[in-house]
Each structure stands twice: as structure tokens, then as C-alpha cells.
């Protein structure tokens, strides 16, 4: 089995101002020195340029929270993959549940965003996850399979050699209700097996992050699970000490 390096990605969402993100980032830059995990920070797109400068001497990678699936043109307010690449982004979150729910992003759009990111040499972090009612009606696997299969079909299984998947049960995002390590592991294993139907090697190397109310107190137990390769962190990534504790949580 491949040894997969833990990846911890911060999703700052629409939070912060220059006044607050500068000291937050400074603390994180200093605190992550010597950590074995790979660390990515995804600020709001207006701060990408600022972070690109501040992260120049750091191991921390820069990411974005969203991207247009289109290349360029008259799409007011959109940000293209090429623009993100231009500012040194290495990762881009696609299909976050907030975008699926609030901005009507469907599986095909998400797959197109995934491909746009890869076409520009960056790594997509593909979010998948079920709603509470879907879990309660035992549809979790069906939902995850559908979300994954569209991307596999459009982008091809080989595309997952350079992709990260984030399992984020929607009921756990921003709610303080974390999936138990066992609940999360069950879905992570399902995701890996779903990829393995197409290619065992790809399934073995792809990193699958857990997201949904990860905090300084539960990260270690989650990251101990065999198929959990790190986390996508919302709220806790805005507090330097909490985020650093998560970055230090190892298998
Ligand atoms: C997220 O938005 O991806 C997330 C996991 O948020 P939180 O950690 O706040 O639940």
C-alpha cells in the first residue's frame, strides 16, 4: 500500500480582511515549520495575490475555493483557472457543498471545473458528500457514487492520479457535528473501492480528505483511520492554534 502524505487544507470561505488574515497567516507560517503534513490555504480569491506574496518563503501551498469551468470571456464576476495558475495556486476546491447548494452547481459543472483545474496544471480538491436526509434514508453511497462517477466518466480515471477527494457530509459542515472516525472511514473506503473498480493503482494513491467540523480535539482520531488522508478545514482554520494542532495530527 502507498504511504500517502497527510494533507490539511484550510478553506477560509468568505472570511477575513487584510487586517485579520495577515497575522493569522504569519502564525500559521511559523507554526507549521517542521510538520510532516502538506498544508494548503484557500483564501477568498481577492486575497490570493496577497497570499502568493506572503507564502513565497514558506512550504505552505496556495489554493482557491472555486473556479469557473469556462476558459475566458464575458462571464462577469468569474475567475478562470488560468488566472489562478497565474498567481501560483497549486490546488482548487471544486464542488464544495455550499456551491452545490447555494449556487446550483451540478455534477457536470463540477466535473468541468475539475478538468479546467487540471488542464492548467493544478490539482483539484473534489468535494463529495451527502445531505442529512440522504444519510437517514440510507442513500449515502448512492449519492457519493453519482458525484464521483460523473467526474470519472468525463475526466477519466487517470485524472485522479493528480486529484484529491474531500468527503464532506453536508450535515457535518459548520454544524459542530463531526462524523465519527468509523462513519467517515466507511465512506472513505467506499470511495477508494469505487475508484478501484477502474484502476487499483490510482485508487491506492489518491488522497481522500475528511471535512466537516474537524477541530483540534478530533483531528488525530480521524487521521488515524486507514483511508483518511487529512482534512479540509473550515471554521477551525481561522484560529491559528487550532489549525496548527490539526496540521500536527499524524497517523
Ligand atoms: C468546509 O467548509 O469545507 C468545512 C469542512 O467547514 P467546517 O470545518 O467549518 O465544518
Amino acid at each position: 500500500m502507498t504511504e500517502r502524505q497527510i494533507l490539511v487544507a484550510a478553506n477560509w470561505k468568505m472570511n477575513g480582511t487584510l487586517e485579520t488574515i495577515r497575522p493569522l497567516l504569519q502564525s500559521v507560517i511559523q507554526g507549521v515549520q517542521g510538520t510532516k503534513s502538506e498544508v494548503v490555504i484557500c483564501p477568498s480569491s481577492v486575497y490570493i495575490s496577497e497570499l502568493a506574496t506572503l507564502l513565497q518563503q514558506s512550504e505552505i501551498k496556495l489554493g482557491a475555493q472555486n473556479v469557473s469551468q469556462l476558459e475566458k470571456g464575458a462571464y462577469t464576476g468569474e475567475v478562470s483557472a488560468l488566472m489562478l495558475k497565474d498567481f501560483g495556486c497549486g490546488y482548487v476546491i471544486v464542488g464544495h457543498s455550499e456551491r452545490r447548494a447555494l449556487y446550483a452547481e451540478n455534477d457536470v459543472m463540477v466535473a468541468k471545473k475539475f478538468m479546467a483545474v487540471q488542464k492548467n496544471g493544478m490539482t483539484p480538491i473534489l468535494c463529495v458528500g451527502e445531505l442529512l436526509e440522504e444519510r437517514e434514508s440510507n442513500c449515502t453511497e448512492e449519492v457519493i457514487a453519482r458525484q464521483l462517477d460523473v467526474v470519472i466518466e468525463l475526466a477519466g480515471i487517470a485524472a485522479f492520479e493528480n486529484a484529491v477527494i474531500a468527503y464532506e457530509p453536508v450535515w457535518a459542515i459548520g454544524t459542530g457535528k463531526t462524523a465519527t472516525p468509523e462513519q467517515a472511514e466507511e465512506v472513505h473506503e467506499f470511495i477508494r473501492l469505487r475508484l478501484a473498480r477502474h484502476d487499483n493503482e490510482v485508487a491506492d494513491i489518491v488522497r481522500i480528505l475528511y471535512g466537516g467540523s474537524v477541530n483540534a480535539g478530533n483531528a488525530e482520531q480521524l487521521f488515524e483511520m486507514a483511508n483518511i488522508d487529512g482534512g479540509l478545514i473550515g471554521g477551525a482554520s481561522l484560529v491559528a492554534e487550532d489549525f496548527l494542532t490539526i496540521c500536527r495530527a499524524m497517523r
Side-chain angles (χ1 to χ4, degrees):
M1 199 190 88
T2 312
E3 189 63 43
R4 295 178 295 265
Q5 185 189 15
I6 291 278
L7 171 62
V8 181
N11 176 9
W12 284 356
K13 309 195 187 187
M14 197 174 72
N15 289 299
T17 59
L18 282 179
E19 201 183 341
T20 60
I21 64 173
R22 280 179 180 144
L24 169 61
L25 191 69
Q26 223 36 61
S27 307
V28 174
I29 290 173
Q30 278 162 17
V32 292
Q33 282 173 22
T35 5
K36 295 205 178 90
S37 306
E38 183 178 0
V39 178
V40 179
I41 297 186
C42 306
S44 156
S45 60
V46 293
Y47 295 129
I48 283 175
S49 156
E50 173 77 9
L51 262 73
T53 307
L54 295 173
L55 290 175
Q56 257 166 15
Q57 309 298 327
S58 166
E59 292 286 290
I60 298 174
K61 315 247 171 73
L62 182 56
Q65 298 172 14
N66 182 35
V67 67
S68 171
Q69 69 274 30
L70 302 160
E71 212 172 295
K72 63 175 179 175
Y75 304 107
T76 303
E78 290 289 85
V79 173
S80 75
L82 186 61
M83 292 169 184
L84 297 177
K85 178 72 186 164
D86 220 7
F87 280 92
C89 283
Y91 289 87
V92 184
I93 298 171
V94 297
H96 190 279
S97 67
E98 286 153 16
R99 297 218 53 93
R100 291 180 190 258
L102 304 172
Y103 301 97
E105 290 191 6
N106 60 38
D107 294 330
V108 173
M109 272 167 79
V110 172
K112 287 183 177 167
K113 288 177 182 225
F114 179 103
M115 290 188 285
V117 171
Q118 284 196 332
K119 193 173 164 207
N120 286 278
M122 299 175 290
T123 303
I125 301 177
L126 169 67
C127 298
V128 297
E130 81 287 2
L131 304 170
L132 182 60
E133 20 329 351
E134 291 167 337
R135 173 161 283 263
E136 285 174 347
S137 49
N138 282 324
C139 291
T140 299
E141 292 189 351
E142 193 186 309
V143 171
I144 306 291
R146 190 203 71 226
Q147 292 172 335
L148 274 179
D149 288 354
V150 174
V151 184
I152 297 172
E153 201 176 304
L154 293 180
I157 189 67
F160 283 82
E161 274 173 30
N162 180 32
V164 172
I165 297 170
Y167 168 56
E168 299 209 300
V170 180
W171 48 271
I173 297 179
T175 58
K177 275 190 220 157
T178 324
T180 63
E182 294 73 23
Q183 274 176 323
E185 172 64 13
E186 199 174 271
V187 181
H188 282 233
E189 193 182 5
F190 172 78
I191 292 172
R192 211 175 290 288
L193 290 172
R194 194 85 191 169
L195 297 178
R197 284 173 162 210
H198 301 267
D199 191 319
N200 273 318
E201 255 173 64
V202 172
D204 192 35
I205 59 170
V206 72
R207 287 183 290 183
I208 308 175
L209 314 183
Y210 169 77
S213 299
V214 178
N215 59 42
N218 60 25
E220 193 152 324
Q221 288 151 300
L222 285 160
F223 298 176
E224 263 168 16
M225 307 307 284
N227 288 291
I228 300 185
D229 308 311
L232 180 54
I233 320 296
S237 70
L238 298 167
V239 181
E241 263 324 300
D242 291 355
F243 185 64
L244 288 167
T245 304
I246 297 168
C247 293
R248 292 183 197 117
M250 297 303 293
R251 275 220 172 89

